[in-house]
Amino acid sequence: MNTLKEALQSMKAPTLTEEQQMALREGARKGRIQGVLMTAAAGSGHPAGSLSSMELYLLAYGAARIDPQNPDDPDRDRVVVSHGHTSPGAYAALAFWGFVSEEDLVPHFRQAGSPFQGHVEREVPGIDWGTGNLGQGLAAGVGFALAARARGSEAWTYVLMGDGEQVKGQVAEARRIAAKERLNRLTVLVDLNHIQICGTTEAIMPADLVALWKADGWRVAEVDGHDVGALYVALREAREGDRPTVLLCRTVMGKGVSFMEGIPDYHGKVASGDRLRLALEELGASEAEAARVVKLRDAPLPRGREVRPPVPCLDAGSPLTYGAETKTDNRSAFGKALADLGARNRGVAGRTPLLVFDCDLAGSVKVDGFAAACPEGFVEAGIQEHAVATAAGAASTAGVVSVWADFGVFGLDEAYNQQRLNDINGSSLKLVLTHVGLDVGEDGKTHQCIDYAGLLRNTFDWRLVVPADPNQTDRAVRWALTEPGNVCLAMGRSVVPPILREDGTPFFGDGYSFRYGEVDVLRPGRDGSLLALGALAGRALEARDLLAREGLEVQVLHTACPLGLDPEELLPLLGTGPLVTVEDHHVDTGLGASVALILARSGRVVPLRTLGVTRYGDSGASRDVYRRMGLDAPGIRDAFLSLRASHA
Amino acid sequence: MNTLKEALQSMKAPTLTEEQQMALREGARKGRIQGVLMTAAAGSGHPAGSLSSMELYLLAYGAARIDPQNPDDPDRDRVVVSHGHTSPGAYAALAFWGFVSEEDLVPHFRQAGSPFQGHVEREVPGIDWGTGNLGQGLAAGVGFALAARARGSEAWTYVLMGDGEQVKGQVAEARRIAAKERLNRLTVLVDLNHIQICGTTEAIMPADLVALWKADGWRVAEVDGHDVGALYVALREAREGDRPTVLLCRTVMGKGVSFMEGIPDYHGKVASGDRLRLALEELGASEAEAARVVKLRDAPLPRGREVRPPVPCLDAGSPLTYGAETKTDNRSAFGKALADLGARNRGVAGRTPLLVFDCDLAGSVKVDGFAAACPEGFVEAGIQEHAVATAAGAASTAGVVSVWADFGVFGLDEAYNQQRLNDINGSSLKLVLTHVGLDVGEDGKTHQCIDYAGLLRNTFDWRLVVPADPNQTDRAVRWALTEPGNVCLAMGRSVVPPILREDGTPFFGDGYSFRYGEVDVLRPGRDGSLLALGALAGRALEARDLLAREGLEVQVLHTACPLGLDPEELLPLLGTGPLVTVEDHHVDTGLGASVALILARSGRVVPLRTLGVTRYGDSGASRDVYRRMGLDAPGIRDAFLSLRASHA
């Protein structure tokens, strides 16, 4: 086995020996048996596609330089399984190469709590990206290849794909990024079995794959996907040249089991009874195996690999303080801090490289300073947000600090599912959303990202930070870039004057350091509270001044962390209210919703008014857009007064 | 003007006369002046791209058979502006052809409350699809063309696109649907000015457009995009043949204003001061015009067109009642009702045609029955969810009842932004999500759509219905298909026994009719309540039986409408609690969150425990997945008892 692995990994020989090929063919036969057995034992799964990809998995995992004893080595090659439902094939290949044990795998496929899930997940060693939503694996591979290049590593990336998923737009996007960036250490194997769930690929959605991959700048080769010798030669040839290569592998759906071959029905149907017996017989296994596996299902579950986001090694520099007179926006404060970290860490041994993605908005989202200072860490990917979201997420797990800045509606609304899957994958992306809330200039409703908190609230590990001003932005950026895990920073477009203490010094200046989840007490007050999100803090302070004219002293609170509030910190600050929450976010899903959840779950009553966005906003000057939504200072004042009156 | 319009619409003459061309050239010159003026007056906007698309807009709106006096005629041609930021060009063309008045338009561009928004919206007559998020217009055009075909109309669809957006994956998806469906009454004009925000298209993201459009099955023609005569000939030729045509139009960014020509900077920068003077001079307008327009900005705002979702004309048939003994799932009940409506209305004069979209899951999402009964109304679009979401949304505004059924994570998580933009567009899509919640069989976390309520809560007009059982599903489907507006039906995968009354008859059977927002009182009780969402109603009833063994009589409530709850209906039902909400949805964003918002805003206290999904779920048998999440009957019982104890 070791010699076989060495031969595949080194690719020194122009061809495999007959003996080596026989070993692989035998491995494929065994893998097929395992695939049939595990799906039968689970009573569900996708056997036929697993059988057709079997040799591709064996060869890719054989060629990849990953040590089964050390599958987390940061310099390893990476294999992405894009058609995640063919997990039985991938798992069987991992068993063949010693990543997992057959006894752990076969009986515990698709069993609640087992790492061997229906779609591949990172809990299994050798699986570097969890998939299942089709068409996304290539972008993950692009992210891995970009990360390897940024780290100066020679690691190779293999991506295995199905043919049904070839028509997903994200595939084309990822293809173009790979070609533009000349990711020559990237090899794709497409399992062309011509069958998808509802019929043949030609009937469901025709696509001229050779022409499309070629048009997007790839080297295209065609190969028999069941011929291990031919696959070896094709993989070896893919290592030459300055472009990424795709191998279009002709295969047979359900290969090796007569009644599954070429039958769409077995995409997601498992063999049982007589059919199971026949399948095992054809593959050269005994029927007794099936019973043995079913019995083993009651054995204790195997444990999965623990997936942890990597800890970056970066010098975060010193915070920059913007004084009272400064006229800048949070975007620019982000851009400045990012460029500072870029310049400060560039070329310093041991530091984690920064990789910054852009979708044709560098000047607006303020990553142009970084691009100028660190061009080698800047990826201009054009208007291709889906592929970028996945690529940036995958890269963040592979030894770089990965940053993607975009308008809110593009970075999150458009790529929500990709960010959900990044969360599932335990990635460590720094997503910077600009132009959030109503603060998009005159761009209007299609560009108003009024749902960033409402979207990320559906995930479990994304943290969201909406800074109040440039000072808090600077500190939050330095915190986020050195923090493991997915963090989203959200900010508007407009100039935001620094929040000041009553003595005129910056509130988020010297002595302040960012703490996730904190509630900032901007002003004290005994007559109730305004609790603002992000840049609305400034408007809340103005409203406080208006309320002072009415003889009221209102406390002004702010939080940058609507999804990280600690009830034990918040509730004592609220007293008996009244409380008006203030945000330019959808009124049912942002800060007000967080407060409502905390109040209702704690059984506390505080007279509450939630101010926010109650309809799609206008296209016009910011001051008009806010005024018409009732979110200017007089609107906040009036809401407070009316709430107070109704509880007098 | 009328003769010119007639010439363009009829396309009888092989070429335009010199006089006709002169009129169009003069129109283009005036349109450019308006574009410069309106962006200058607004102090924002995208002048350069508007100037480069000017002739394309004039010709497309000239050729399109839309009566400016009756721009809502259901049988009109349709024009989609995909690069919505070039609105000044589109608006100027609409003014030229008499859809809007110049006096309304030019001074009120990008003014809060004006219909002339920064990105085109449907409030302007002649704008049939609001855009601004790039790469989505072609799919809208595909939807219009499919709707026209389904209605037996000969209407034509024109789509105007920018070149920066060509690399968006959704464009390729839409292209393939159009080619597969042989939408020959669809013509695309691409403004190839080679400039996007950050530089040339070649530098930002190279793409071989000729090869890509050809590979996807389109007829490709190249033409000078500023030559009105050549454009006419190209549009005329596009009317022949059995395939859709794309015209790749060579243009100059900023055409007509020397200092804007070919300069990326003027993508989003307006002319002012000396530059404005120079621009007007070059275009043959006087400087005084600019001052006049600025002054007019204070005039009352023009009013926009009212956009209303169309009312379908369909015979909804008679509800089907599933008795106590039935073993079926909500998906199948949906599929049966859909096929029934299909068969019942097919070919009946005056009825609105049904158009059902599928992404390679017809058997799983149960639209196969409809496909068999009404093949002409079935669109198999492959794994291309982004394009389908937009196409189905656009079609729903164009005289068909448009249904898209897909797994929850694909129909909503993956296409969230498209569904948000459908909401903004006031569409009338019937989105059927199957495999929602934890109820996805063994597919595991990537396939568990635990956020459908949390996502749609960020919109303003989407209604969400999560039926409890096959009977409620049947009735909700018949309601949704005959109801204007966007409706999402969400359901799991498993068999759901019909909910019964205590007398053993179906709760949602005879005498029940679906009412949006209703709370269903399944069982009375004096010791507190369980409030369940969708198919969790059955588990709540089981938990009630377990609690009865503890001597407690618990009320069981259900709602199918977590986003439509009426506080005045819900609060009296809750009494003084305690209340446990039960859902297999993210615990912070579903039914529990709705209840929390209602409680906190109303200042009511009810001891509350929100049961839901608190981490990504397992891949395994449903009963194990639910048990491990604490969502089986014993889990619900325990939560109720512990809540009760903590408030004893």
Side-chain angles (χ1 to χ4, degrees):
Chain A
M1 186 66 71
N2 280 344
T3 340
L4 178 59
K5 189 159 214 170
E6 208 181 289
L8 280 169
Q9 291 188 346
S10 74
M11 293 207 176
K12 275 187 197 141
T15 55
L16 291 180
T17 64
E18 183 48 35
E19 195 187 2
Q20 288 165 335
Q21 295 189 40
M22 273 180 62
L24 287 168
R25 282 195 290 266
E26 178 60 10
R29 187 182 69 85
K30 280 199 175 151
R32 290 195 162 88
I33 294 170
Q34 292 171 12
V36 167
L37 283 173
M38 73 178 92
T39 51
S44 79
H46 301 84
S50 303
L51 302 191
S52 82
S53 287
M54 198 61 239
E55 283 84 2
L56 312 188
Y57 282 124
L58 277 181
L59 269 285
Y61 274 112
R65 280 161 297 199
I66 315 176
D67 178 0
Q69 304 312 312
N70 184 18
D72 290 322
D73 179 350
D75 273 320
R76 68 188 180 279
D77 288 352
R78 278 174 173 82
V79 178
V80 180
V81 175
S82 185
H83 51 330
H85 61 279
T86 63
S87 53
Y91 295 155
L94 287 170
F96 181 80
W97 294 114
F99 285 81
V100 300
S101 91
E102 188 181 340
E103 295 298 279
D104 279 351
L105 163 62
V106 180
H108 298 298
F109 177 61
R110 289 182 162 233
Q111 199 172 14
S114 157
F116 299 105
Q117 308 194 19
H119 296 84
V120 295
E121 296 294 347
R122 291 185 64 199
E123 284 80 357
V124 176
I127 301 295
D128 281 321
W129 195 250
T131 61
N133 292 202
L134 288 169
Q136 316 212 351
L138 181 58
V142 166
F144 288 139
L146 286 168
R149 193 179 66 183
R151 298 172 57 248
S153 157
E154 303 213 324
W156 209 272
T157 304
Y158 298 90
V159 178
L160 293 103
M161 306 179 75
D163 51 2
E165 65 177 325
Q166 293 296 310
V167 297
K168 267 292 273 185
Q170 187 174 333
V171 173
E173 295 180 355
R175 212 152 53 195
R176 284 189 278 269
I177 300 173
K180 182 191 175 196
E181 296 289 330
R182 299 205 159 261
L183 299 178
N184 58 320
R185 296 178 170 276
L186 172 62
T187 303
V188 171
L189 297 96
V190 180
D191 179 352
L192 281 190
N193 63 32
H194 292 284
I195 305 277
Q196 54 191 120
I197 295 184
C198 294
T200 65
T201 49
E202 289 72 14
I204 300 303
M205 186 48 62
D208 183 343
L209 296 188
V210 173
L212 289 170
W213 284 87
K214 276 195 180 158
D216 280 331
W218 282 58
R219 185 179 157 264
V220 179
E222 299 183 63
V223 59
D224 177 343
H226 297 308
D227 180 339
V228 292
L231 280 169
Y232 172 82
V233 172
L235 284 170
R236 191 166 180 272
E237 283 173 359
R239 294 198 157 241
E240 279 144 40
D242 63 348
R243 285 183 301 163
T245 295
V246 60
L247 306 180
L248 299 177
C249 306
R250 295 181 302 273
T251 64
V252 175
M253 182 82 163
K255 174 75 176 178
V257 176
S258 58
F259 60 86
M260 288 189 186
E261 287 194 0
I263 309 293
D265 204 25
Y266 278 93
H267 173 96
K269 188 171 129 181
V270 304
S272 61
D274 283 350
R275 292 255 139 170
L276 174 59
R277 202 161 24 244
L278 178 60
L280 291 173
E281 190 186 309
E282 289 181 0
L283 292 167
S286 91
E287 196 190 336
E289 264 305 282
R292 196 181 71 90
V293 166
V294 168
K295 214 173 201 173
L296 282 171
R297 221 165 150 79
D298 293 331
L301 290 174
R303 292 189 54 178
R305 164 166 72 165
E306 197 179 338
V307 176
R308 275 202 217 135
V311 181
C313 176
L314 278 182
D315 171 6
S318 306
L320 210 70
T321 297
Y322 298 88
E325 70 297 336
T326 323
K327 271 197 193 308
T328 190
D329 51 69
N330 290 352
R331 289 179 294 155
S332 298
F334 150 66
K336 223 165 170 173
L338 177 69
D340 178 30
L341 262 78
R344 188 178 292 276
N345 291 281
R346 189 187 189 202
V348 180
R351 297 284 164 75
T352 313
L354 274 157
L355 202 54
V356 176
F357 292 82
D358 178 49
C359 290
D360 193 32
L361 284 171
S364 298
V365 303
K366 306 298 181 189
V367 293
D368 46 353
F370 176 87
C374 311
E376 75 289 349
F378 181 72
V379 179
E380 175 53 75
I383 305 172
Q384 305 191 123
E385 294 90 359
H386 295 115
V388 170
T390 303
S396 77
T397 67
V400 300
V401 171
S402 179
V403 178
W404 178 29
D406 208 332
F407 285 7
V409 290
F410 306 140
L412 185 54
D413 292 26
E414 177 76 4
Y416 168 74
N417 196 38
Q418 286 67 23
Q419 303 300 5
R420 179 183 75 94
L421 294 165
N422 283 338
D423 193 47
I424 287 180
N425 272 292
S427 70
S428 197
L429 178 59
K430 311 310 165 198
L431 175 65
V432 180
L433 305 179
T434 71
H435 295 63
V436 304
L438 299 176
D439 191 13
V440 303
E442 286 85 350
D443 276 346
K445 54 191 172 184
T446 54
H447 284 55
Q448 290 165 354
C449 178
I450 55 168
D451 46 15
Y452 50 95
L455 295 181
L456 291 179
R457 194 192 299 280
N458 293 294
T459 67
F460 293 102
D461 290 319
W462 270 100
R463 281 169 292 170
L464 170 65
V465 181
V466 197
D469 74 355
N471 284 314
Q472 196 177 31
T473 303
D474 179 89
R475 282 144 186 87
V477 170
R478 292 172 201 274
W479 168 82
L481 292 180
T482 51
E483 177 79 7
N486 292 310
V487 177
C488 173
L489 290 156
M491 55 198 71
R493 178 181 185 276
S494 300
V495 165
V496 184
I499 303 281
L500 304 176
R501 300 180 184 282
E502 290 191 274
D503 66 7
T505 60
F507 186 92
F508 299 105
D510 300 340
Y512 168 80
S513 64
F514 178 80
R515 175 167 66 78
Y516 183 73
E518 188 163 24
V519 178
D520 309 308
V521 184
L522 303 182
R523 291 290 185 279
R526 56 171 188 268
D527 295 321
S529 304
L530 303 174
L531 170 57
L533 177 66
L536 274 287
R539 283 200 174 76
L541 288 170
E542 286 175 48
R544 181 182 196 264
D545 292 343
L546 298 181
L547 286 163
R549 292 188 208 162
E550 313 282 332
L552 296 172
E553 192 189 273
V554 175
Q555 174 178 241
V556 178
L557 305 172
H558 164 265
T559 186
C561 309
L563 304 183
L565 290 173
D566 176 358
E568 296 194 14
E569 180 176 339
L570 176 67
L571 290 173
L573 284 170
L574 300 183
T576 56
L579 169 67
V580 174
T581 57
V582 183
E583 60 192 317
D584 61 343
H585 188 283
H586 193 297
V587 71
D588 288 342
T589 61
L591 175 60
S594 295
V595 170
L597 273 170
I598 289 174
L599 289 175
R601 283 177 178 155
S602 68
R604 277 280 298 278
V605 173
V606 172
L608 173 69
R609 179 71 49 91
T610 51
L611 279 190
V613 178
T614 53
R615 59 172 174 84
Y616 292 111
D618 298 306
S619 164
S622 253
R623 62 178 179 286
D624 297 333
V625 172
Y626 278 88
R627 179 178 47 76
R628 288 168 57 95
M629 197 63 78
L631 290 172
D632 58 351
I636 300 167
R637 174 200 58 200
D638 294 348
F640 186 88
L641 290 175
S642 108
L643 173 65
R644 192 162 177 273
S646 71
H647 284 81
Chain B
M1 185 67 70
N2 281 347
T3 340
L4 179 59
K5 191 161 214 168
E6 209 181 287
L8 279 168
Q9 290 187 347
S10 73
M11 292 207 176
K12 275 186 199 142
T15 55
L16 291 179
T17 66
E18 182 50 33
E19 195 185 1
Q20 289 165 333
Q21 294 190 42
M22 271 182 61
L24 286 167
R25 280 196 289 268
E26 177 61 9
R29 188 183 68 85
K30 279 198 176 153
R32 291 195 162 90
I33 294 170
Q34 291 171 11
V36 168
L37 282 174
M38 73 178 90
T39 52
S44 79
H46 301 84
S50 303
L51 302 192
S52 82
S53 287
M54 198 62 239
E55 283 84 2
L56 312 189
Y57 282 123
L58 277 182
L59 269 287
Y61 275 113
R65 282 160 295 200
I66 316 176
D67 178 0
Q69 304 311 313
N70 184 17
D72 290 321
D73 180 350
D75 273 320
R76 69 189 179 278
D77 288 352
R78 278 175 172 82
V79 179
V80 180
V81 175
S82 184
H83 51 330
H85 61 279
T86 62
S87 54
Y91 296 154
L94 287 170
F96 181 80
W97 293 114
F99 286 81
V100 300
S101 92
E102 187 181 340
E103 295 297 280
D104 279 351
L105 162 62
V106 181
H108 298 297
F109 176 60
R110 288 182 164 236
Q111 199 172 13
S114 158
F116 300 105
Q117 307 194 20
H119 296 85
V120 294
E121 296 294 345
R122 293 183 64 198
E123 285 81 358
V124 175
I127 301 295
D128 281 319
W129 195 250
T131 61
N133 292 205
L134 290 170
Q136 316 212 351
L138 180 58
V142 167
F144 289 138
L146 286 168
R149 193 180 64 184
R151 298 174 58 249
S153 157
E154 301 212 325
W156 209 271
T157 304
Y158 298 89
V159 179
L160 294 103
M161 305 178 76
D163 51 2
E165 66 176 324
Q166 293 296 311
V167 296
K168 267 292 273 185
Q170 187 174 334
V171 173
E173 294 179 356
R175 213 153 50 197
R176 284 188 278 268
I177 301 173
K180 182 190 175 197
E181 297 289 331
R182 298 205 160 260
L183 299 178
N184 59 322
R185 297 179 171 275
L186 172 62
T187 304
V188 171
L189 299 96
V190 181
D191 179 352
L192 280 190
N193 62 33
H194 292 283
I195 305 276
Q196 55 190 118
I197 295 184
C198 294
T200 64
T201 48
E202 289 74 11
I204 299 304
M205 186 49 63
D208 184 342
L209 297 189
V210 173
L212 289 170
W213 284 87
K214 278 194 178 157
D216 281 331
W218 282 58
R219 183 178 160 268
V220 179
E222 299 183 64
V223 58
D224 177 344
H226 297 307
D227 181 339
V228 292
L231 280 169
Y232 172 82
V233 172
L235 284 170
R236 192 167 179 273
E237 284 173 358
R239 295 200 156 241
E240 280 145 39
D242 63 347
R243 284 183 302 162
T245 295
V246 58
L247 306 180
L248 300 177
C249 307
R250 293 181 303 274
T251 64
V252 175
M253 180 82 163
K255 175 76 176 177
V257 176
S258 59
F259 59 87
M260 286 189 187
E261 288 193 359
I263 308 294
D265 205 26
Y266 278 92
H267 173 97
K269 190 170 124 180
V270 305
S272 61
D274 283 351
R275 293 255 140 168
L276 174 58
R277 201 157 30 239
L278 178 59
L280 292 173
E281 191 186 308
E282 289 181 1
L283 293 167
S286 91
E287 195 190 335
E289 264 305 283
R292 194 181 74 91
V293 166
V294 168
K295 217 175 199 167
L296 282 170
R297 219 163 152 81
D298 293 331
L301 289 176
R303 291 189 56 177
R305 162 168 74 163
E306 198 178 339
V307 176
R308 273 202 220 138
V311 181
C313 176
L314 277 183
D315 170 7
S318 305
L320 210 70
T321 296
Y322 298 89
E325 70 299 336
T326 324
K327 271 196 190 316
T328 190
D329 51 68
N330 290 350
R331 290 178 293 155
S332 297
F334 150 67
K336 223 164 171 175
L338 177 69
D340 177 30
L341 263 79
R344 187 178 292 277
N345 292 281
R346 189 184 189 205
V348 180
R351 296 285 164 78
T352 313
L354 273 157
L355 201 53
V356 176
F357 292 83
D358 178 49
C359 291
D360 192 31
L361 285 170
S364 298
V365 303
K366 306 296 181 191
V367 293
D368 45 354
F370 176 88
C374 310
E376 75 289 351
F378 181 71
V379 180
E380 175 54 75
I383 306 172
Q384 305 191 122
E385 293 90 0
H386 295 116
V388 170
T390 304
S396 77
T397 67
V400 299
V401 171
S402 179
V403 179
W404 178 30
D406 207 333
F407 285 7
V409 291
F410 305 140
L412 185 53
D413 292 28
E414 179 75 5
Y416 168 74
N417 196 39
Q418 285 68 24
Q419 303 300 5
R420 180 182 75 95
L421 294 165
N422 282 339
D423 193 48
I424 287 179
N425 272 294
S427 70
S428 197
L429 178 60
K430 311 311 167 197
L431 175 65
V432 180
L433 305 179
T434 72
H435 294 65
V436 304
L438 298 177
D439 191 12
V440 303
E442 286 86 350
D443 276 347
K445 54 192 174 185
T446 53
H447 284 55
Q448 290 164 354
C449 179
I450 54 167
D451 46 15
Y452 50 94
L455 295 181
L456 291 179
R457 194 192 300 280
N458 292 294
T459 66
F460 292 103
D461 291 318
W462 269 100
R463 279 170 293 170
L464 170 65
V465 181
V466 196
D469 74 357
N471 284 315
Q472 196 176 30
T473 302
D474 179 272
R475 284 141 184 88
V477 169
R478 293 172 200 274
W479 168 81
L481 291 179
T482 51
E483 176 77 8
N486 292 311
V487 177
C488 173
L489 290 156
M491 54 198 69
R493 178 182 185 276
S494 300
V495 165
V496 185
I499 304 280
L500 305 176
R501 299 181 186 282
E502 289 190 275
D503 66 7
T505 60
F507 187 93
F508 300 105
D510 300 340
Y512 168 81
S513 65
F514 178 80
R515 175 168 64 79
Y516 184 73
E518 188 164 23
V519 178
D520 309 308
V521 184
L522 304 183
R523 291 289 184 279
R526 55 171 190 269
D527 296 320
S529 304
L530 303 174
L531 170 58
L533 177 67
L536 274 288
R539 282 202 175 74
L541 288 170
E542 287 175 48
R544 181 182 195 266
D545 292 343
L546 299 182
L547 286 163
R549 294 188 208 162
E550 314 282 331
L552 296 172
E553 192 189 273
V554 175
Q555 174 178 239
V556 178
L557 306 172
H558 164 264
T559 186
C561 310
L563 304 183
L565 290 173
D566 177 358
E568 295 191 16
E569 179 175 340
L570 176 67
L571 290 173
L573 285 170
L574 299 184
T576 57
L579 170 67
V580 174
T581 56
V582 183
E583 59 193 318
D584 61 343
H585 188 283
H586 193 296
V587 71
D588 289 342
T589 62
L591 175 60
S594 295
V595 171
L597 273 170
I598 289 173
L599 289 175
R601 283 176 177 155
S602 68
R604 277 280 298 277
V605 174
V606 171
L608 173 70
R609 179 72 49 91
T610 51
L611 279 190
V613 178
T614 53
R615 60 172 173 84
Y616 292 112
D618 297 306
S619 164
S622 254
R623 61 177 180 286
D624 297 334
V625 172
Y626 278 88
R627 179 178 45 78
R628 289 169 56 94
M629 198 63 78
L631 291 171
D632 57 351
I636 299 168
R637 173 199 59 197
D638 294 348
F640 186 88
L641 290 176
S642 107
L643 173 64
R644 189 162 180 275
S646 70
H647 285 80

